[in-house]
Amino acid sequence: MAEKRFSIGYALAPKKQNSFIRDSLLTLAKSRGVDLIRVDTDRNLADQGPFDCILHKLYGFDWKQQLQQFKSHNPNATILDSPEAIERLHNRISMLQVVSELKIEDPNETFGIPKQIVIYDKETLFDEQAWETLKFPVIAKPLVADGSAKSHKMALVFNCDALNKLKPPIVLQEFVNHGGVIFKVYVVGEHVQCVKRKSLPDVSEEKKSVEDLLSFSQVSNLANHEKIDDKYYKLMHLDDTEMPPQSFIVDIARGLRQAMKLNLFNFDVIRDARYGNRYLIIDINYFPGYAKMPGYETVLTDFFCDILYNKQQLEGEEGKGESHHDLKKVASNTCSDDGETEKEESVEV
Ligand SMILES: Nc1ncnc2c1ncn2[C@@H]1O[C@H](COP(=O)(O)OP(=O)(O)OP(=O)(O)O)[C@@H](O)[C@H]1O
Ligand SMILES: O=P(O)(O)O[C@H]1[C@H](OP(=O)(O)O)[C@@H](OP(=O)(O)O)[C@@H](O)[C@@H](O)[C@@H]1OP(=O)(O)O
Ligand SMILES: [Mg+2]
Ligand SMILES: [Mg+2]
């Protein structure tokens, strides 16, 4: 009997498609029975396929409706990930709320988020009461994180004089010195991988008194031609920075994944320079730049196979009339229709 093949339809913006869909990924996936096929976003999704799975990073109401329609026509297909679960990451307040709710017992390290407030209008911006809990410098971040260039435009604000330059709705987050290095933790289902990147440098007392405002955008994002390799680590002086403990990072990643019901995301972590064992999560991104992760082809292909082969096994056993309870044990970690995550296993680093 011919081996069963699977097809994954991917719906990505051109920039993402260029970086993520490489021949090396297509070839490896194909060799393991998985065909990655581009969804034509000018046509209705439900008219395309058949697909066993949809991989997507697109925004907007219309796309959400197309996914719903596709799912109602193809109830067995897996949507990676559910648009409702992704939506939480489009707002910088709801994005980090989930971190505050996480409970992780670690004898040596602690984690949290920086102090922050949300400002919806200019009036509140100048209201001293709103500022009571915050200390300068702060980072002003657009409230909405919708993938637009605008949503990445930030400003380091040193004092009140700069406030009139800000455009609400924004989140004002305390800037925390962290030695100029950020940890990016990539999550792909059960796989967790942490890398170092350059970040904003620490702010000295002297600088606090001379600057008003500094604008910046995507400081830790690599340009297409940059590669995370030894050269980058040397150039950015990343070699000397110690990594956070792996098991601690894996616990946070696992907790976030379960709470958010997402399989494909990364989060940015900084180590508070005031306490060597305090970590702050400052950003969570859906479907980040995986191609920058060493060995991404294997990691992603393993993940696709896990999902598709487990799903097949699940459907096969359902056909034999096994109870739903038993089937849950072999279900993959994908989000089902209602966004429920079905299995939790060890997370490798
Ligand atoms: N509270 C903070 N304290 C110190 N540095 C910070 C803080 N928040 C952000 N930064 C710095 O600013 C950068 C951009 O912030 P953030 O990650 O929130 O933006 P983003 O545009 O969503 O980034 P990404 O490209 O990862 O999506 C971080 O990578 C880090 O270097
Ligand atoms: O998905 P896009 O292509 O738009 O860009 C994402 C980018 O990945 P890229 O490598 O593909 O540029 C990510 O980089 P890393 O965290 O992995 O460094 C991160 O900056 C996301 O926030 C971006 O998503 P957005 O927030 O804009 O939706
Ligand atoms: Mg970030
Ligand atoms: Mg981000």
Side-chain angles (χ1 to χ4, degrees), residues 266-296:
N266 76 357
F267 55 100
D268 296 344
V269 184
I270 56 175
R271 181 162 47 219
D272 191 330
R274 290 166 297 185
Y275 325 89
N277 65 346
R278 173 134 184 96
Y279 292 87
L280 300 168
I281 292 156
I282 54 166
D283 185 29
I284 309 178
N285 303 300
Y286 185 65
F287 203 144
Y290 285 123
K292 291 176 274 184
M293 192 174 79
Y296 94 103

Side-chain angles (χ1 to χ4, degrees), residues 162-343:
L163 292 183
N164 61 353
K165 297 195 184 126
L166 303 178
K167 291 198 184 82
I170 48 171
V171 171
L172 296 173
Q173 194 178 78
E174 262 183 22
F175 177 86
V176 176
N177 279 347
H178 54 279
V181 176
I182 192 164
F183 306 104
K184 279 202 171 256
V185 183
Y186 288 88
V187 179
V188 182
E190 290 164 13
H191 183 89
V192 179
Q193 199 164 322
C194 182
V195 298
K196 290 185 259 187
R197 296 269 183 86
K198 73 166 178 333
S199 183
L200 291 181
D202 288 352
V203 173
S204 62
E205 285 305 315
E206 187 201 338
K207 197 155 190 184
K208 282 185 199 166
S209 54
V210 292
E211 298 282 0
D212 275 351
L213 182 140
L214 283 174
S215 298
F216 65 94
S217 178
Q218 297 209 280
V219 271
S220 65
N221 204 355
L222 296 179
N224 268 348
H225 59 273
E226 286 174 305
K227 255 182 51 203
I228 308 196
D229 54 14
D230 294 351
K231 234 164 83 190
Y232 174 84
Y233 272 60
K234 281 209 178 66
L235 195 69
M236 298 302 163
H237 307 289
L238 298 179
D239 272 343
D240 305 336
T241 306
E242 203 185 309
M243 283 288 225
Q246 283 187 359
S247 61
F248 175 64
I249 289 295
V250 169
D251 283 350
I252 296 178
R254 181 184 291 172
L256 285 178
R257 171 163 172 253
Q258 221 169 25
M260 298 193 298
K261 299 179 170 62
L262 289 176
N263 287 286
L264 300 172
F265 64 95
N266 76 357
F267 55 100
D268 296 344
V269 184
I270 56 175
R271 181 162 47 219
D272 191 330
R274 290 166 297 185
Y275 325 89
N277 65 346
R278 173 134 184 96
Y279 292 87
L280 300 168
I281 292 156
I282 54 166
D283 185 29
I284 309 178
N285 303 300
Y286 185 65
F287 203 144
Y290 285 123
K292 291 176 274 184
M293 192 174 79
Y296 94 103
E297 296 92 339
T298 312
V299 173
L300 270 298
T301 302
D302 284 350
F303 171 66
F304 296 149
C305 289
D306 266 6
I307 284 184
L308 294 166
Y309 287 103
N310 279 338
K311 196 157 76 81
Q312 184 189 30
Q313 190 178 347
L314 187 74
E315 283 162 9
E317 292 182 15
E318 243 164 16
K320 285 189 216 143
E322 296 209 5
S323 78
H324 187 62
H325 180 76
D326 290 340
L327 295 172
K328 270 203 159 181
K329 287 187 207 149
V330 292
S332 76
N333 255 319
T334 44
C335 291
S336 59
D337 250 2
D338 54 4
E340 281 296 310
T341 300
E342 303 201 295
K343 187 186 81 174

Side-chain angles (χ1 to χ4, degrees), residues 13-54:
K15 177 174 156 269
K16 193 61 152 191
Q17 197 174 298
N18 282 340
S19 67
F20 183 77
I21 302 295
R22 293 194 184 158
D23 282 348
S24 51
L25 175 67
L26 296 180
T27 309
L28 183 63
K30 205 181 201 73
S31 73
R32 294 184 53 192
V34 179
D35 298 316
L36 288 161
I37 296 157
R38 190 176 75 86
V39 170
D40 180 355
T41 46
D42 292 332
R43 287 168 52 215
N44 204 350
L45 175 64
D47 299 337
Q48 302 177 58
F51 299 123
D52 300 291
C53 173
I54 301 289

